[in-house]
Amino acid sequence: MTDLLDLRGLLDLIVACNDDDAVWKTYGWVWAQEGDAASVGFHPQTRRGDDATNDGDGEPEPPITTSPRLWLYLEAITVASILDVQKLSRPLSGLDDYAQALDYYSQHDTFLDHGEPAPRDREEADRQGLSPGLYAAFDLTLETVEPPQRKAAASLVAEVKALSVGEALAQVRALPLAVACNIDRASSDHLQARFAAIGLALQVTRYRSFPWQPIG
């Protein structure tokens, strides 16, 4: 029997994806035991088909056997949207807040609307290293370039930041240089690889999705 995830495990699994598109391509339905989101077990069903089942009448069946049984809960992309709305309006949300948002959607088929976030909450979220959106975000900084590498660095910076080579060279000479801010994991990995290919390392600052996740 496959172990079920608790709410924290489910949320961490969702945000381990790069973005909404990755969630949609990776997971279909989330199954859950009956009860409040904070206290039940979850099973996100992948789209690979390796754990998909059907009862013969076109109705999906629980992909694994548990006691108590699993019920169709929400699509994974819907879970991601609920988390996103909650975080945008309450950037400092903890696990109980996300559980409340999920329960509200399950009961009312609409998002729990808190209105605009307080500026001080967004400032505190920034101080705690939380990403502005649901998924992890990354800042990339170029801190060191040896003189023989400046031409190659300026050429790449010009392409990445849509600058002239002259403008890029001036920025390379006046380090540190912010190469990219608030980008997703895939974009961060891609840019790091491009700079590594010309012998340059970027300083990476990671912003986490949730307060309980490790910093850095």
Side-chain angles (χ1 to χ4, degrees):
M1 183 184 82
T2 303
D3 291 336
L4 298 178
L5 299 174
D6 61 11
L7 180 59
R8 177 170 169 172
L10 175 66
L11 269 56
D12 285 343
L13 189 75
I14 293 291
V15 300
C17 295
N18 186 67
D19 51 24
D20 283 351
D21 187 55
V23 173
W24 172 257
K25 290 178 179 178
T26 306
Y27 301 106
W29 282 98
V30 175
W31 296 76
Q33 295 168 324
E34 190 171 8
D36 298 334
S39 60
V40 302
F42 298 91
H43 178 78
Q45 195 165 4
T46 64
R47 291 192 181 276
R48 294 192 302 269
D50 54 356
D51 59 357
T53 58
N54 191 283
D55 66 3
D57 296 321
E59 293 296 326
E61 286 188 330
I64 57 177
T65 301
T66 66
S67 180
R69 67 164 292 177
L70 296 179
W71 302 88
L72 277 177
Y73 183 59
L74 295 166
E75 287 189 275
I77 190 62
T78 302
V79 173
S81 296
I82 296 166
L83 304 179
D84 189 41
V85 169
Q86 175 66 29
K87 187 178 181 184
L88 288 175
S89 59
R90 292 292 185 269
L92 300 173
S93 292
L95 198 59
D96 288 343
D97 301 305
Y98 288 112
Q100 181 184 21
L102 288 165
D103 287 340
Y104 186 90
Y105 189 97
S106 296
Q107 295 164 14
H108 302 284
D109 197 28
T110 190
F111 297 106
L112 179 58
D113 185 6
H114 297 287
E116 292 295 318
R120 64 180 180 274
D121 287 350
R122 183 63 262 169
E123 292 170 3
E124 178 61 18
D126 292 341
R127 190 190 70 78
Q128 292 186 22
L130 295 170
S131 59
L134 178 60
Y135 305 95
F138 300 82
D139 291 348
L140 303 181
T141 306
L142 183 60
E143 295 188 339
T144 304
V145 178
E146 297 299 326
Q149 296 174 297
R150 285 176 179 168
K151 184 176 180 181
S155 178
L156 183 51
V157 167
E159 181 181 346
V160 169
K161 295 176 68 71
L163 302 172
S164 70
V165 174
E167 290 172 324
L169 184 58
Q171 292 190 11
V172 167
R173 286 172 172 163
L175 299 176
L177 167 62
V179 174
C181 297
N182 191 30
I183 59 175
D184 61 36
R185 182 182 292 105
S187 298
S188 173
D189 291 346
H190 177 69
L191 280 176
Q192 289 182 68
R194 293 193 65 187
F195 277 84
I198 61 172
L200 296 174
L202 296 175
Q203 178 67 36
V204 181
T205 303
R206 174 183 174 271
Y207 300 93
R208 57 206 171 120
S209 295
F210 302 126
W212 59 80
Q213 294 178 319
I215 299 174

